[in-house]
Amino acid sequence: MKVINVRTDKRNQMLDITSQIKEVLIQSGVKNGICTLYVPHTTAAVTINEGADPDVKLDITTFMAELIPNRQSFKHAEGNSDSHIKTSLFGPSETIIIQDSKLVLGTWQVIYFCEFDGPRSRKLYIKIMGD
Amino acid sequence: MKVINVRTDKRNQMLDITSQIKEVLIQSGVKNGICTLYVPHTTAAVTINEGADPDVKLDITTFMAELIPNRQSFKHAEGNSDSHIKTSLFGPSETIIIQDSKLVLGTWQVIYFCEFDGPRSRKLYIKIMGD
Amino acid sequence: MKVINVRTDKRNQMLDITSQIKEVLIQSGVKNGICTLYVPHTTAAVTINEGADPDVKLDITTFMAELIPNRQSFKHAEGNSDSHIKTSLFGPSETIIIQDSKLVLGTWQVIYFCEFDGPRSRKLYIKIMGD
């Protein structure tokens, strides 16, 4: 298992970590298999979406903040239940296929670390299976 | 890795692709392991839900179109930020267990390719690991 | 593949099943690899979130019930389209990394079986890959 460190600087933020995942894959020497990404936090997640236009991640984070606001009526005393809800909707894990020593991403896909309660220092775990 | 081609004919659509995944599994000869499904697009996803009553997928796509409308205020110039948001919520990958040469699906479960910005020609990747 | 049985007693409920998954891992003897969790139902899911404060799961289930109400306008005759929608958003599968014979969960993470149409008797499947 390998660990990537991520530093976020906003409450809601999507950070492109594709190049760091590709670097881990190269070092593993695995040619064919699967790559599991796992976020060990309860107010952060991982997703895959368009990386060409930065307005896509802006629209996603802005819309999600409106759809799931931080309500006064939430019981959880830390005041970040909205962050926990978004985390379960985006999910802590993704699995990507490896072929010919490369991550098989679509043309427009990049891998985003999703911060929902930053700024914070975060981690993402990577496990590569295959041969 | 195997590739399935999907042709969608609506903007929002859920297409049952279970039989095509089962065919790929049979050809692989794998008896026990896991099957990773991966959608290489940023406005389409994969999910697993009820297949018996077509009204289930109708209710899902109709509700999601209302919950996440295509707002004028979105910044992304292509005008499909709603499609990108739904893609991250449904997610690009699912993992299904293989036992005794079969996908272990529940009684009512089918695998749906989820189109959020069709009609388009799409692909879904399949990686089978096991023995 | 191993099976865990779950008994829910509310319509919407998140049940901490972490200890049962850990028990399956110990019995497997696998030291390094991945653990796939799979829910074979169409109105239940699996997620990973905070386990320390029970108000977190309360806020999640309460908010989701408001965000996705059981509308009169739904076509599906069984009257549980809201449950099907939540199932696709939370998702039927998660993958967790195994290292040194342990599930690599974050400090605050627990694994929740998510009931969206209970009370019912449910199952969750576990597949462990590795060595």
Side-chain angles (χ1 to χ4, degrees):
Chain A
M1 190 183 82
K2 293 289 176 183
V3 182
I4 281 179
N5 291 293
V6 178
R7 177 72 216 177
T8 62
D9 54 24
K10 294 180 188 164
R11 183 156 199 268
N12 292 293
Q13 190 172 16
M14 291 168 69
L15 279 168
D16 182 350
I17 54 169
T18 314
S19 63
Q20 294 164 75
I21 313 284
K22 285 181 175 173
E23 184 60 33
V24 169
L25 174 57
I26 290 167
Q27 287 169 8
S28 76
V30 169
K31 290 181 183 166
N32 294 289
I34 55 174
C35 173
T36 296
L37 308 179
Y38 187 83
V39 174
H41 306 287
T42 60
T43 54
V46 60
T47 196
I48 294 164
N49 216 305
E50 194 197 296
D53 178 2
D55 281 341
V56 171
K57 63 181 180 178
L58 178 68
D59 285 345
I60 294 174
T61 51
T62 304
F63 183 88
M64 291 306 297
E66 278 182 54
L67 186 69
I68 305 175
N70 200 359
R71 292 192 182 172
Q72 288 269 329
S73 61
F74 284 139
K75 304 293 185 190
H76 180 46
E78 285 183 63
N80 60 354
S81 285
D82 60 324
S83 319
H84 289 292
I85 295 166
K86 289 182 214 169
T87 296
S88 277
L89 293 178
F90 277 64
S93 72
E94 292 293 350
T95 304
I96 302 169
I97 298 168
I98 300 161
Q99 185 164 262
D100 299 332
S101 305
K102 288 183 185 165
L103 289 179
V104 187
L105 295 171
T107 311
W108 307 106
Q109 286 184 322
V110 301
I111 304 162
Y112 284 113
F113 182 91
C114 303
E115 174 63 79
F116 295 127
D117 194 29
R120 292 197 198 209
S121 289
R122 301 291 207 173
K123 290 183 189 302
L124 182 136
Y125 300 154
I126 304 169
K127 177 73 180 178
I128 292 172
M129 306 273 288
D131 44 35
Chain B
M1 190 184 82
K2 295 289 176 183
V3 182
I4 282 178
N5 292 291
V6 177
R7 177 72 215 173
T8 62
D9 54 24
K10 293 178 188 164
R11 183 156 199 269
N12 292 293
Q13 191 173 15
M14 289 167 69
L15 280 167
D16 183 350
I17 54 169
T18 315
S19 64
Q20 294 164 76
I21 314 284
K22 285 181 175 173
E23 184 61 34
V24 169
L25 174 57
I26 290 167
Q27 287 169 9
S28 77
V30 170
K31 291 180 183 166
N32 294 290
I34 56 174
C35 173
T36 297
L37 309 178
Y38 187 83
V39 174
H41 306 288
T42 60
T43 54
V46 60
T47 196
I48 294 164
N49 216 305
E50 194 198 296
D53 178 1
D55 281 341
V56 170
K57 63 181 178 179
L58 178 67
D59 285 345
I60 294 173
T61 50
T62 304
F63 183 88
M64 290 306 297
E66 279 182 53
L67 186 70
I68 305 175
N70 200 358
R71 293 194 181 168
Q72 289 269 329
S73 60
F74 283 139
K75 304 294 185 190
H76 180 45
E78 286 182 62
N80 60 353
S81 285
D82 59 325
S83 319
H84 289 291
I85 295 166
K86 290 182 213 169
T87 296
S88 277
L89 293 178
F90 277 63
S93 73
E94 293 292 352
T95 304
I96 302 170
I97 298 168
I98 300 161
Q99 185 163 262
D100 299 332
S101 305
K102 287 181 185 165
L103 289 180
V104 187
L105 294 171
T107 311
W108 306 106
Q109 286 185 323
V110 302
I111 304 161
Y112 284 114
F113 182 91
C114 303
E115 173 63 81
F116 296 126
D117 195 28
R120 293 198 196 206
S121 289
R122 300 292 205 173
K123 291 183 190 300
L124 181 136
Y125 300 152
I126 304 169
K127 177 70 180 181
I128 292 172
M129 307 273 288
D131 44 35
Chain C
M1 190 183 82
K2 295 289 176 183
V3 182
I4 281 178
N5 292 292
V6 178
R7 177 73 214 175
T8 62
D9 54 25
K10 295 181 187 161
R11 183 156 200 269
N12 292 294
Q13 191 172 15
M14 289 168 68
L15 280 167
D16 182 350
I17 54 169
T18 314
S19 64
Q20 294 163 77
I21 313 285
K22 285 181 176 174
E23 185 60 34
V24 169
L25 174 57
I26 290 167
Q27 287 169 10
S28 76
V30 169
K31 290 180 186 167
N32 294 290
I34 55 173
C35 173
T36 297
L37 309 178
Y38 187 83
V39 174
H41 306 287
T42 61
T43 54
V46 61
T47 196
I48 294 164
N49 216 305
E50 195 198 295
D53 178 2
D55 282 341
V56 171
K57 64 181 179 180
L58 178 67
D59 285 345
I60 294 174
T61 51
T62 304
F63 184 87
M64 290 307 297
E66 279 181 54
L67 186 70
I68 304 175
N70 200 359
R71 293 192 181 170
Q72 288 269 330
S73 60
F74 283 139
K75 304 292 185 190
H76 180 45
E78 286 182 62
N80 60 354
S81 285
D82 59 326
S83 319
H84 289 291
I85 295 166
K86 289 181 214 170
T87 297
S88 277
L89 293 179
F90 277 63
S93 73
E94 292 293 350
T95 304
I96 302 170
I97 298 168
I98 300 161
Q99 185 162 265
D100 299 332
S101 305
K102 289 183 183 162
L103 289 179
V104 186
L105 295 172
T107 310
W108 306 106
Q109 286 185 322
V110 301
I111 304 162
Y112 283 114
F113 183 91
C114 303
E115 173 64 80
F116 295 127
D117 195 28
R120 295 199 195 206
S121 289
R122 301 292 205 173
K123 290 183 191 302
L124 180 135
Y125 300 154
I126 304 168
K127 177 72 179 180
I128 292 173
M129 307 273 288
D131 45 35

